[in-house]
Every structure is written in structure tokens, then in C-alpha cells.
């Protein structure tokens, strides 16, 4: 499962997310998340799938992250829905089996929560596109463990870096590796002209409320 790639840095990944519109910044006109929270940042990394070059580089970076941090991986699992395409691309790159975890069991047929071959004891790495609090992501980890998998950890494209997420992953004893983060994004957003430097303070104030 070894790779020999030129892996993008955290800043390079952040630049890709901004250039493709996967991450948008509106400090003066915040977005409303599904939770009702107001946020100057909106992230939908599925947009990167429409850019083959970016899609490949993100897959390269995930492959390197898994090879470096989880060398014993025997399978890849995606978290529905956004982690499914990233996970499938990665599993193909590494030549590993793939399955994915639904947000809820199917209401018909086999009523599966996990789609794909279930092999108790198999060492799996979970793939996610975005980490906020980690709640939904860790539910997938729990489902895989209940099914008998040995979860080595999780790799994600981006994290907001909320302390709540750090606590949740620590409590779940789940190692988390991410390709980019809030700090790298903020720096690239200013240097790339996406927001004025004066907006950095607003972004940091927003993140500080989650401490």
C-alpha cells in the first residue's frame, strides 16, 4: 500500500477548496448551518469532485495520509454521503475493499446500516470530507465497531478544529488525521485575496466561541 507522491500541503489543499468554491467565506453575511448556528464559513467538499485535477490531488493526499498513519489498513469505509465518493476513489487507488456507512438503516430489504462486505476483525480506516463536532462521523465509527471491524482511525479532507471535536474523538478513542484546517484556510484566504486581512479577526472570534 506504499505510495510515492508529491503530496499537497495543508495550505495547498486549502487553496484548492477555495478556488473550486468548495469553501466559501462571508464574514459580513454569515451562512446558517443545519444546526441553526451562524457561520462565516460554508464548506461542501463534494464540489471538488467536479475538478478532476483537484480530485486527484486530494485522493493522493488521502492515500499518503492512510499509508503514513494507518499502514495496517485492510479496508476503507466512507461516511454517507460526502465521504462515499472520496472513500471509493481512495479504496480504488490503494487497491483495498470499500464499504460505506449510512446515516440510518435502510427502511426496506436487508435494512442495512453498513453497505458492502462485512468482515469481522478487518482493519478499516474511515473517510470523511468535513469534521465539525465529529458527532455524525463518530456514529459511523461506532456502527463499524459494532459490526466487528477494527477501526484504525479516520482521515478527513478538512476540519474546523473545534475543541469539541477533539474531545469527542478522544473519548471515542479514534485517531483523526486531516488534510487541511481552519488556520491554513484563513491564511490562504487572505493571501489569495478571498477576504481582506481585517476579516481574520472576525473568523477567529467566531471559532473562539466554540472553545
Amino acid at each position: 500500500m506504499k505510495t510515492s507522491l508529491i503530496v499537497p500541503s495543508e495550505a495547498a489543499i486549502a487553496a484548492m477548496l477555495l478556488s473550486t468554491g468548495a469553501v466559501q467565506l462571508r464574514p459580513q453575511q454569515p451562512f446558517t448551518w443545519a444546526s441553526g448556528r451562524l457561520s462565516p464559513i460554508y464548506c461542501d467538499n463534494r464540489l471538488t469532485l467536479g475538478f478532476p485535477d483537484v480530485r486527484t490531488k486530494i485522493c493522493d493526499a488521502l492515500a499518503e495520509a492512510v499509508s503514513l498513519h494507518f499502514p495496517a489498513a485492510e479496508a476503507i469505509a466512507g461516511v454517507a454521503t460526502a465521504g462515499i465518493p472520496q472513500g471509493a476513489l481512495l479504496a480504488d487507488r490503494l487497491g483495498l475493499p470499500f464499504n460505506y456507512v449510512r446515516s440510518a438503516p435502510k427502511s426496506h430489504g436487508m435494512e442495512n446500516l453498513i453497505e458492502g462486505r462485512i468482515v469481522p476483525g478487518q482493519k478499516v480506516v474511515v473517510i470523511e470530507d468535513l469534521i465539525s463536532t465529529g458527532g455524525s462521523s463518530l456514529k459511523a465509527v461506532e456502527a463499524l465497531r459494532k459490526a466487528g471491524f477494527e477501526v484504525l482511525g479516520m482521515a478527513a479532507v478538512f476540519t474546523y478544529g473545534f475543541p469539541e471535536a477533539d474531545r469527542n474523538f478522544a473519548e471515542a478513542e479514534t485517531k483523526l488525521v486531516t488534510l487541511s484546517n481552519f488556520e491554513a484556510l484563513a491564511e490562504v484566504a487572505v493571501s489569495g485575496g478571498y477576504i481582506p486581512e481585517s476579516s481574520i479577526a472576525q473568523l477567529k472570534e467566531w471559532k473562539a466561541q466554540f472553545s
Side-chain angles (χ1 to χ4, degrees):
M1 198 175 64
K2 278 192 135 191
T3 58
S4 54
L5 307 167
I6 299 176
V7 180
S9 64
E10 293 177 345
I13 294 290
M16 293 176 203
L17 300 181
L18 286 164
S19 67
T20 57
V23 170
Q24 297 188 46
L25 298 169
R26 288 197 330 213
Q28 308 304 326
Q29 188 183 357
F31 300 94
T32 301
W33 284 355
S35 63
R37 290 175 172 174
L38 294 179
S39 169
I41 303 176
Y42 186 77
C43 184
D44 182 2
N45 294 327
R46 285 168 290 201
L47 284 171
T48 62
L49 298 168
F51 299 81
D53 183 54
V54 171
R55 182 179 69 210
T56 297
K57 288 177 180 176
I58 287 176
C59 188
D60 287 348
L62 286 171
E64 183 68 8
V66 170
S67 295
L68 178 63
H69 296 281
F70 309 110
E74 298 171 335
I76 299 295
V79 180
T81 57
I84 294 175
Q86 302 287 5
L89 288 166
L90 175 62
D92 186 63
R93 173 69 57 82
L94 297 177
L96 294 178
F98 176 74
N99 54 39
Y100 69 87
V101 185
R102 291 175 172 273
S103 57
K106 266 197 306 194
S107 59
H108 59 281
M110 297 295 291
E111 300 182 347
N112 293 337
L113 178 58
I114 299 171
E115 297 289 1
R117 186 179 175 214
I118 295 177
V119 182
Q122 191 173 57
K123 296 177 174 65
V124 64
V125 176
V126 185
I127 302 301
E128 184 63 286
D129 76 322
L130 171 68
I131 302 296
S132 52
T133 65
S136 59
S137 304
L138 289 170
K139 284 181 181 177
V141 169
E142 181 182 7
L144 288 162
R145 286 174 172 162
K146 283 184 176 179
F149 288 95
E150 180 182 343
V151 178
L152 300 179
M154 181 177 295
V157 178
F158 182 80
T159 179
Y160 290 108
F162 295 151
E164 182 180 352
D166 295 337
R167 291 191 295 269
N168 288 340
F169 275 88
E171 289 174 5
E173 298 182 343
T174 302
K175 181 177 180 178
L176 173 64
V177 177
T178 60
L179 304 185
S180 194
N181 52 59
F182 173 87
E183 285 71 22
L185 181 79
E187 290 182 13
V188 173
V190 171
S191 64
Y194 291 92
I195 57 172
E197 190 169 0
S198 58
S199 293
I200 284 290
Q202 288 177 273
L203 293 178
K204 290 183 176 179
E205 283 178 19
W206 168 77
K207 185 184 173 185
Q209 68 180 303
F210 297 99
S211 299

